[in-house]
Amino acid sequence: MFDFAIAGVQAPIFLLALVGLTVGIVGGFIGVGGGYMVTPALIVFGFPGYMASGIDMTHICGKGLVSTVRHRQLGNIDWTLALSMIAGTMLGVELGVRLLVYFKHLGISGVVLLVTSVALMFTLFLYTQIETNRAHKKMEEMEKAGEELGRELQTSNLPKIFQSIPLAPIVRCRTARVIVSMWVIVLVGMVTGVLAGFLGVGGGFIRVPALVYVVGASTHIAVGTDLVEIVVSGAYGALRHSIEGNVDLMAVLFMIVGAMFGAQVGSIATSYVRGPAIRYILSYSLILATLGAALRLVYVLTGQNVHWLSLAAVMLTLGEMIFLCLFISSLVWFAVRRRGGKWVPDWVGPLVI
Amino acid sequence: MAELHRGKAAFKFCFWLAASVGLFVYIIHSYTSGQMIQWYYYTASLDGYAVDANLSMNATKDKPLVLNIAKQDEVKGLVAIPVAKGDRLPKNTNGVISLAEIKSGKRVTLEGQTIKVTVPWQIKEAKGFKYKDTFKHKGIRTNPWSGAWNVAMVLCLGLALGLVAEGFTDLLGMKIEKIQHGH
C-alpha cells in the first residue's frame, strides 16, 4: 500500500500499474485514452471523484505519448492530419466544457451526460459493427477466391462524400493517402472535441470512427493520429485539472509505468491485424461502455435506490478492460499461429496478417 | 554494420532509461519531501479556517472532532487556523472550512474558540459513480506553476519511457518496421 498524501488515499501500487497496463494495451490498439474505464476503477480504489478524473486525464496524456512514440515508428501517424485537427479539437473541448457547465447550472448535467453517452456510443457501435461485418464478409470472400488482401478494407461511402467537398484549402495527407478539405478535418476535430469536453473524456472512441468514416483514413492511421490528439487534449485537460489541484502525480506515475508496457503490446499488436480487426475491438469496447453507462443511467433515474445496478456498472467497467485485453491478445496469438502455418478459426483468417 | 546498429540501440536504451529513472527519482523525492504538497496546498480561495482534513475523517455527530482556533504558521495537534482569501496556507493544512459552511451549521459549528466537525464527508458523484467528499482540497488554490510542472513531468516521462521501450526492442533486434499503408 502506498500513501498518496495529496489524494488522501492508501492504495496498492500494483493495482494502479495493472490499470495502466490494461488501459495501455487497449489504448495502444484502438487509439483511445480509456477515460471511461480508468475513472470508475480509481473511484473503486477509493480516490475521490474529482481526483479520479484529474489523475485519469493526466495519465492519458503520458500514456498517449508512450503509444505515440511507438505508432510513429510503425508509420501510423499522419502529421498533416494530426496538426490540422488540433486547433479544432482544442476549440471543441473548450466549447464542450462550457456546455457541461451550462447543464450543471440547470441541474441536469448527470442525466444529460449519461443519455448523451448512451445514445452516442450505441449509434457508433451499430454503425461500426454493421460496416465492419460487411468488410469482414467481403474479405472472407476475397480470401476464398484467392485474392490478395490489403491491410485495410472498409465499405462505407461516407468518406467519398466528405472528400468531394471542394472547399479550399484542400489538404493532401501523404501518409493517410487522403485529399480532403481542411475544413472537414477542422470540423471533425471540433465536433469530436465538443463531445469529448462535454463527456469529460479524451474522445478517442469518437475520433477514431470519425477519422475512418468521415476523413477516410485507414484504421491504423486513425489510431496513430488520434493518439497525437489525445496527447494534446490530455495535456490541456491535465493542466486544467492540475491547476484545480485534482492530480496526485504519484498515482499518475505508477499508472504510466504500467501503461508503458501495455502501450507497447497494444501498439505492436496493430501490426499483426488488418483494419477491420481494430474496428471490431473498438465496437465491442463501445457496446460494453454503453451497457455500463446505461446501467448507471437506470440507477440515476430510479432515484439511486437499486444499489446492485451501481455495483453491476462498476463490475462491467472493470470486466471490460480484461475482456478487451484478452481479445487483443488472442488476435495476436492467432496471427502468430497463422504465420507459422498452424490452424486458426475461419473467421480470424481475414482479420490477421 | 549490425554491431554499429546494436551499439546505437544500446546507447539509446541506456540513455533514455537513465533519463526515466532520474525523472522517477526526482518526482518521488519531490513528493516525499513535501515540496509537491506545499505547491498543492498553496493559498486559501475563500475566508475560513485552514485545517488538516485527515484528522476529521472519523468524526461523527456523537463523537465530533473539536479543533481549537489558533493563529499560527503550522498545524500541530487539533488546531484550526483562521485564513482570509489569498492567504498562504499554513503548513500541514490541506483544506479550508469556509465561513459559509460554519454559518449553515449543518456539518460544522463554531462554539467560542473551538470548531466542531460533526459530518466530515458527503456522498457525491462523478460520472455516475459515488464517492466520499471530505473537507480535503476544499477552499484551496494550488500554485499556478504546479499545473505546468505536472504536465511537463508527465510529458517528459511519457517520452522517455516511450523511447526506452523503442530502444529495448531495437536492442533485442526485433524488426518493427513501418506499416505499408495502401488502399
Side-chain angles (χ1 to χ4, degrees):
Chain A
M1 294 291 251
F2 187 88
D3 187 11
F4 295 97
I6 290 173
V9 173
Q10 283 191 337
I13 293 169
F14 92 93
L15 271 184
L16 290 176
L18 193 68
V19 170
L21 177 86
T22 49
V23 179
I25 294 175
V26 178
F29 192 78
I30 56 175
V32 299
Y36 56 96
M37 295 186 267
V38 175
T39 304
L42 290 176
I43 292 175
V44 169
F45 298 158
F47 285 85
Y50 55 87
M51 271 283 168
S53 294
I55 292 168
D56 179 14
M57 193 54 95
T58 313
H59 128 273
I60 282 174
C61 165
K63 185 202 71 182
L65 192 54
V66 175
S67 301
T68 302
V69 170
R70 185 59 81 186
H71 277 281
R72 171 196 58 91
Q73 193 187 23
L74 289 165
N76 287 344
I77 298 173
D78 189 303
W79 291 101
T80 312
L81 193 54
L83 296 174
S84 307
M85 269 179 91
I86 283 172
T89 304
M90 300 306 288
L91 184 66
V93 169
E94 192 55 45
L95 287 173
V97 171
R98 282 168 194 241
L99 193 66
L100 180 66
V101 171
Y102 172 72
F103 279 114
K104 261 188 185 164
H105 281 305
L106 294 180
I108 52 169
S109 65
V111 174
V112 171
L113 215 118
L114 285 169
V115 169
T116 314
S117 299
V118 170
L120 181 75
M121 289 192 290
F122 189 67
T123 311
L124 284 174
F125 158 74
L126 271 185
Y127 190 81
T128 315
Q129 189 65 221
I130 292 168
E131 187 282 324
T132 310
N133 261 325
R134 222 184 298 150
H136 188 188
K137 275 185 188 156
K138 202 169 176 182
M139 285 173 116
E140 275 181 329
E141 285 166 16
M142 285 167 76
E143 199 179 40
K144 274 180 192 161
E147 290 176 49
E148 198 183 331
L149 291 178
R151 190 171 277 273
E152 180 62 290
L153 187 110
Q154 65 132 311
T155 55
S156 172
N157 285 323
L158 283 174
K160 283 179 193 159
I161 298 169
F162 284 101
Q163 284 170 9
S164 64
I165 295 173
L167 213 56
I170 304 289
V171 182
R172 179 191 287 265
C173 306
R174 288 182 191 278
T175 313
R177 299 189 181 190
V178 167
I179 299 171
V180 67
S181 166
M182 166 84 103
W183 295 107
V184 171
I185 302 173
V186 172
L187 202 69
V188 164
M190 206 164 99
V191 173
T192 54
V194 167
L195 292 167
F198 179 64
L199 300 175
V201 292
F205 71 90
I206 315 166
R207 217 177 291 115
V208 171
L211 281 168
V212 174
Y213 297 127
V214 176
V215 176
S218 72
T219 317
H220 289 76
I221 296 280
V223 168
T225 306
D226 176 59
L227 281 163
V228 179
E229 299 297 309
I230 283 177
V231 174
V232 177
S233 59
Y236 180 63
L239 186 69
R240 284 186 68 143
H241 273 293
S242 295
I243 289 170
E244 295 294 322
N246 295 346
V247 180
D248 190 313
L249 202 60
M250 282 309 286
V252 175
L253 196 74
F254 294 126
M255 288 175 72
I256 291 183
V257 172
M260 179 191 78
F261 295 102
Q264 304 312 314
V265 176
S267 308
I268 294 173
T270 59
S271 61
Y272 286 83
V273 297
R274 296 182 207 280
I278 300 174
R279 300 206 293 278
Y280 264 136
I281 301 274
L282 180 69
S283 76
Y284 289 130
S285 83
L286 282 167
I287 191 63
L288 288 169
T290 308
L291 282 174
L295 281 173
R296 290 201 296 279
L297 181 63
V298 176
Y299 176 64
V300 171
L301 292 178
T302 51
Q304 306 190 347
N305 292 321
V306 191
H307 292 294
W308 67 264
L309 283 172
S310 171
L311 187 69
V314 172
M315 297 300 287
L316 193 80
T317 309
L318 299 181
E320 178 188 353
M321 292 199 288
I322 298 163
F323 169 75
L324 294 175
C325 286
L326 289 175
F327 201 158
I328 293 166
S329 312
S330 64
L331 278 176
V332 174
W333 186 64
F334 282 133
V336 172
R337 277 180 67 87
R338 193 168 189 252
R339 283 180 187 186
K342 292 180 182 166
W343 175 88
V344 293
D346 286 345
W347 64 272
V348 174
L351 295 177
V352 297
I353 290 180
Chain B
M1 193 65 186
E3 279 302 309
L4 184 69
H5 181 74
R6 215 173 175 78
K8 265 187 182 177
F11 177 76
K12 185 178 179 182
F13 173 68
C14 292
F15 177 80
W16 288 110
L17 183 67
S20 309
V21 171
L23 270 171
F24 210 89
V25 170
Y26 174 59
I27 293 171
I28 289 177
H29 171 72
S30 145
Y31 195 88
T32 50
S33 67
Q35 182 209 353
M36 217 187 282
I37 292 165
Q38 278 184 14
W39 280 6
Y40 267 79
Y41 304 111
Y42 195 61
T43 55
S45 66
L46 37 79
D47 299 342
Y49 294 89
V51 294
D52 176 0
N54 295 334
L55 295 172
S56 65
M57 297 290 188
N58 299 320
T60 61
K61 281 183 179 168
D62 299 331
K63 278 188 179 176
L65 174 80
V66 181
L67 299 169
N68 294 309
I69 297 170
K71 281 191 177 177
Q72 50 195 57
D73 300 331
E74 185 178 355
V75 162
K76 276 184 182 169
L78 302 175
V79 173
I81 301 169
V83 284
K85 185 179 175 181
D87 280 358
R88 184 78 173 86
L89 281 173
K91 211 175 168 186
N92 298 336
T93 59
N94 53 23
V96 174
I97 297 177
S98 67
L99 293 180
E101 186 71 62
I102 292 172
K103 205 174 171 185
S104 78
K106 287 176 185 167
R107 300 171 64 195
V108 185
T109 52
L110 181 66
E111 291 177 14
Q113 279 302 297
T114 60
I115 284 178
K116 271 189 183 174
V117 181
T118 49
V119 184
W121 46 263
Q122 294 174 300
I123 295 290
K124 286 203 174 171
E125 233 181 71
K127 293 185 184 176
F129 292 95
K130 285 181 173 179
Y131 68 94
K132 283 181 180 179
D133 194 33
T134 65
F135 287 113
K136 194 162 181 171
H137 275 298
K138 298 292 168 290
I140 60 128
R141 188 166 286 146
T142 58
N143 184 329
W145 287 106
S146 69
W149 188 86
N150 265 357
V151 175
M153 285 296 117
V154 167
L155 286 176
C156 288
L157 197 67
L159 183 70
L161 288 174
L163 290 167
V164 166
E166 199 176 282
F168 184 67
T169 46
D170 286 355
L171 191 63
L172 289 182
M174 280 174 72
K175 284 184 182 172
I176 296 174
E177 288 165 356
K178 283 199 176 193
I179 293 171
Q180 297 305 313
H181 298 285
H183 293 289

